């Protein structure tokens, strides 16, 4: 005699569209940003984030972050990239030639470890 075992039913998913403020979807990419990238592509202008390894723009060391920021210096869509990153509150990485840490633009990436107790004479 064989017994058929059926799994318990899955819980139902609510169908209402109410979303709390902390669960809201992030802003989407604007048409202006897509147009700027498409125009640069059609003109054959190099876009560094598409030509280099994306890991460069999410580097760990301060020297690598400065290198990524320097790559953005010649980018034709630098302003649109920065505007979009600010609107989306990007959590980290180099966007539009600026470094984002926890959604805020910072001037420089601090190295790992404890800071010095005394100033270094340069």
């Amino acid at each position: 005699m064989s017994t058929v075992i059926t799994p318990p039913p899955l819980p139902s998913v609510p169908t209402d569209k109410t979303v709390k403020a902390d669960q809201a979807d992030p802003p989407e990419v604007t048409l202006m940003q897509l147009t700027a990238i498409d125009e640069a592509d059609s003109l054959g202008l190099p876009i560094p984030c598409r030509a280099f390894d994306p890991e460069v723009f999410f580097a760990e060391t301060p020297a690598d972050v400065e290198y990524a920021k320097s790559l953005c210096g010649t980018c034709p869509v630098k302003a649109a990239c920065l505007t979009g990153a600010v609107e989306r509150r990007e959590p980290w990485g180099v966007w539009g030639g600026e470094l984002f840490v926890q959604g805020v633009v910072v001037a420089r990436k601090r190295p790992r470890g404890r800071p010095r107790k005394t100033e270094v004479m340069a």
Side-chain angles (χ1 to χ4, degrees):
M1 178 171 193
S2 78
T3 306
V4 177
I5 300 174
T6 58
L10 295 174
S12 63
V13 178
T15 57
D16 65 341
K17 296 290 183 178
T18 58
V19 177
K20 293 181 181 177
D22 61 338
Q23 296 175 338
D25 291 333
E28 294 184 18
V29 177
T30 65
L31 183 59
M32 177 193 78
Q33 293 163 335
L34 291 176
T35 304
I37 292 172
D38 288 341
E39 284 178 12
D41 276 342
S42 67
L43 294 173
L45 299 173
I47 299 175
C49 59
R50 291 189 175 186
F52 290 88
D53 183 14
E55 292 293 321
V56 171
F57 299 95
F58 298 95
E60 290 292 321
T61 65
D64 291 341
V65 168
E66 292 302 315
Y67 173 67
K69 288 167 68 174
S70 71
L71 291 175
C72 293
T74 60
C75 184
V77 294
K78 180 179 175 180
C81 178
L82 180 60
T83 301
V86 169
E87 289 174 359
R88 291 186 307 273
R89 287 180 258 137
E90 285 293 339
W92 63 83
V94 175
W95 297 87
E98 298 292 337
L99 174 63
F100 284 75
V101 176
Q102 297 179 352
V104 179
V105 175
V106 295
R108 301 218 180 274
K109 182 171 180 81
R110 291 182 47 194
R112 294 184 64 183
R114 294 181 67 193
R116 295 177 184 256
K117 291 184 178 182
T118 59
E119 285 289 322
V120 177
M121 299 182 85

